[in-house]
Amino acid sequence: DTAVSQTPKYLVTQMGNDKSIKCEQNLGHDTMYWYKQDSKKFLKIMFSYNNKELIINETVPNRFSPKSPDKAHLNLHINSLELGDSAVYFCASSQDLVSNQPQHFGDGTRLSIL
Amino acid sequence: DAKTTQPNSMESNEEEPVHLPCNHSTISGTDYIHWYRQLPSQGPEYVIHGLTSNVNNRMASLAIAEDRKSSTLILHRATLRDAAVYYCILRGVYNQGGKLIFGQGTELSVKP
């Protein structure tokens, strides 16, 4: 059973398009995250959600809109895609915000903008 | 957020122990030391964490200096599958938003 699953695994699209990435966790966790890993392999937090509420928006352009329909899902919609959005996007989850329980990551969605 | 410093890369031979160092001289009293690793083409994977005492689990051991300004992740017998980027991350108990702050990490290569 995959704990954190993301779809699609690969996404190739043209500049200016709108696309979505879906994430689901079956761990019963309260907190979910989106991270971005750029071409230099640098991993950076984008958003965190706790019980469907936005907690962190780490100065991400408002073209990126996360949506959490329930605790088990955190989707990422991106409008007007730009070349600089090309990256690997990782979804993660943890038990809650304050414990030191580990974060569990999905395998990533590789987004390529042509 | 307190910063960590790790070597960019390390090499090991298969079936030998590996000691991955991490310096965190500005660590605060409530910061936990977490280690994650990222295998090629995969998401980061939790390895181990600790506060003051040394910790062991099935994957690795974590040795924490008495002054907590440094720590060492120990892989007891490296396998080819352990080749990955290893990240040492400080995480405060009251870390706002639960985020992990990744540095550059140490790229570990394992030779057969």
Side-chain angles (χ1 to χ4, degrees):
Chain A
D1 280 347
T2 303
V4 180
S5 57
Q6 300 178 225
T7 54
K9 194 172 174 64
Y10 299 96
L11 190 48
V12 181
T13 189
Q14 293 196 328
M15 214 164 45
N17 283 351
D18 303 338
K19 289 293 177 186
S20 292
I21 306 171
K22 294 187 176 182
C23 178
E24 176 182 4
Q25 54 96 3
N26 63 5
L27 297 166
H29 288 167
D30 288 345
T31 309
M32 295 185 73
Y33 311 82
W34 278 109
Y35 288 84
K36 178 182 179 181
Q37 188 166 40
D38 62 23
S39 56
K40 294 182 180 175
K41 305 293 186 185
F42 181 57
L43 260 165
K44 192 174 191 303
I45 184 75
M46 298 175 69
F47 301 103
S48 73
Y49 268 71
N50 189 60
N51 283 320
K52 303 192 297 175
E53 299 287 329
L54 176 67
I55 304 299
I56 287 179
N57 177 341
E58 200 79 352
T59 62
V60 180
N62 57 14
R63 297 182 297 104
F64 290 78
S65 51
K67 282 191 173 52
S68 182
D70 55 59
K71 281 194 331 181
H73 296 84
L74 180 62
N75 304 322
L76 184 64
H77 187 76
I78 315 170
N79 288 327
S80 303
L81 280 157
E82 300 177 357
L83 289 175
D85 297 333
S86 294
V88 183
Y89 293 84
F90 290 101
C91 178
S93 73
S94 65
Q95 183 176 318
D96 53 42
L97 282 174
V98 297
S99 76
N100 268 283
Q101 294 301 309
Q103 291 189 14
H104 298 257
F105 285 78
D107 283 336
T109 295
R110 184 175 296 277
L111 174 61
S112 299
I113 310 301
L114 304 176
Chain B
D1 293 305
K3 190 176 163 58
T4 64
T5 305
Q6 301 177 250
N8 286 340
S9 61
M10 289 184 65
E11 270 190 1
S12 171
N13 294 319
E14 199 176 9
E15 298 192 5
E16 290 185 357
V18 182
H19 290 234
L20 296 159
C22 181
N23 287 322
H24 27 78
S25 57
T26 59
I27 191 170
S28 77
T30 56
D31 284 342
Y32 280 76
I33 302 157
H34 286 245
W35 284 82
Y36 282 75
R37 70 180 185 180
Q38 187 174 20
L39 280 64
S41 300
Q42 293 189 26
E45 174 188 30
Y46 168 80
V47 178
I48 200 166
H49 78 275
L51 184 63
T52 55
S53 305
N54 294 344
V55 185
N56 299 299
N57 67 19
R58 64 173 179 81
M59 288 180 72
S61 296
L62 176 60
I64 301 172
E66 201 169 326
D67 64 5
R68 300 209 326 124
K69 294 186 176 182
S70 65
S71 60
T72 302
L73 180 71
I74 303 165
L75 307 179
H76 294 286
R77 288 181 71 219
T79 68
L80 296 178
R81 197 193 171 275
D82 291 322
V85 179
Y86 287 78
Y87 297 97
C88 169
I89 300 170
L90 301 182
R91 192 167 181 215
V93 172
Y94 302 107
N95 180 3
Q96 185 182 4
K99 63 185 177 186
L100 293 174
I101 300 174
F102 289 84
Q104 68 184 22
T106 296
E107 184 165 11
L108 175 68
S109 55
V110 180
K111 295 185 289 184

